[in-house]
Amino acid sequence: GAGVSQTPSNKVTEKGKYVELRCDPISGHTALYWYRQSLGQGPEFLIYFQGTGAADDSGLPNDRFFAVRPEGSVSTLKIQRTERGDSAMYLCASGYGPGELFFGEGSRLTVL
Amino acid sequence: GENVEQHPSTLSVQEGDSAVIKCTYSDSASNYFPWYKQELGKRPQLIIDIRSNVGEKKDQRIAVTLNKTAKHFSLHITETQPEDSAVYFCAASRTNFGNEKLTFGTGTRLTIIP
């Protein structure tokens, strides 16, 4: 596709459940980022991949959050034992590295 | 780590007037400063960026200035139009390999009054 694609666009789950959010970056982009955005706030960095490896995962809030990018393209953000505080818009972005990031439309997660 | 502060949080200007949004950053090693525009319910999109080797950059009605000594940078929008209404985010990062995460400010909601 032409842009960064994120699925699902909306996810409603119950507290304690497991959630996976998928990001399909722009073809050829080596860098992939996950951000979390709460209402009225700026995007908060979670993790950055350069190729298949996580170059910086310092933004993951705790060990319930994990992300993979096994083939250097599609990435999955995994959240275990979801909590109400995890409710937010999860944004994925891709790029060639330092420079412009192209964001997806996001996955809105609601934990009841 | 990097900390980016952004002011004001909301800004209303009359159509045709100028708007200025200011940001400060804490990491003196940051050398890349983009501005993103996010319309309601949409994804953030880059509108302009500046690197530390220049002090000012212009693109039609928008310009960004950078003061590395004071660690602040600003977005200037001239001749504002209704379609400029959106939330604007500044950000900062290092661009050395392995240190490329963007740290965003908290955003400025800009409203253009027709």
Side-chain angles (χ1 to χ4, degrees), chain B:
Chain B
E2 175 66 275
N3 181 49
V4 177
E5 295 192 355
Q6 183 171 348
H7 301 280
S9 56
T10 60
L11 179 61
S12 295
V13 301
Q14 209 70 37
E15 183 178 353
D17 287 351
S18 296
V20 180
I21 303 170
K22 300 182 179 183
C23 288
T24 60
Y25 62 98
S26 62
D27 185 353
S28 56
S30 287
N31 54 10
Y32 175 64
F33 307 93
W35 287 86
Y36 282 79
K37 175 182 181 182
Q38 187 173 30
E39 297 178 13
L40 191 63
K42 300 287 181 71
R43 70 188 80 191
Q45 291 190 296
L46 180 75
I47 55 170
I48 194 167
D49 57 11
I50 191 167
R51 297 183 188 270
S52 60
N53 56 345
V54 298
E56 183 175 358
K57 183 176 177 181
K58 273 187 175 180
D59 182 3
Q60 299 181 4
R61 295 187 298 107
I62 59 173
V64 57
T65 58
L66 171 65
N67 182 328
K68 282 218 75 180
T69 304
K71 291 192 281 190
H72 68 70
F73 56 114
S74 301
L75 177 71
H76 304 251
I77 307 174
T78 58
E79 301 170 24
T80 52
Q81 300 169 3
E83 54 264 37
D84 295 329
S85 294
V87 179
Y88 292 80
F89 294 99
C90 62
S93 78
R94 303 179 181 187
T95 56
N96 303 316
F97 182 79
N99 285 288
E100 293 153 349
K101 68 181 183 187
L102 273 178
T103 300
F104 284 84
T106 49
T108 297
R109 180 173 298 281
L110 175 64
T111 303
I112 307 302
I113 305 164

Side-chain angles (χ1 to χ4, degrees), chain A residues 10-32:
Chain A
N10 266 292
K11 176 70 177 179
V12 180
T13 191
E14 293 179 343
K15 181 175 178 296
K17 298 288 189 183
Y18 170 79
V19 165
E20 286 191 354
L21 306 175
R22 176 189 165 107
C23 173
D24 199 343
I26 293 172
S27 177
H29 280 184
T30 55
L32 185 147

Side-chain angles (χ1 to χ4, degrees), chain A residues 61-74:
Chain A
N62 51 58
D63 62 6
R64 295 187 298 106
F65 288 74
F66 189 69
V68 296
R69 195 186 185 198
E71 296 177 359
S73 179
V74 171

Side-chain angles (χ1 to χ4, degrees), chain A residues 69-83:
Chain A
R69 195 186 185 198
E71 296 177 359
S73 179
V74 171
S75 176
T76 305
L77 178 66
K78 308 180 181 198
I79 311 173
Q80 297 178 317
R81 304 183 305 279
T82 51
E83 300 178 356

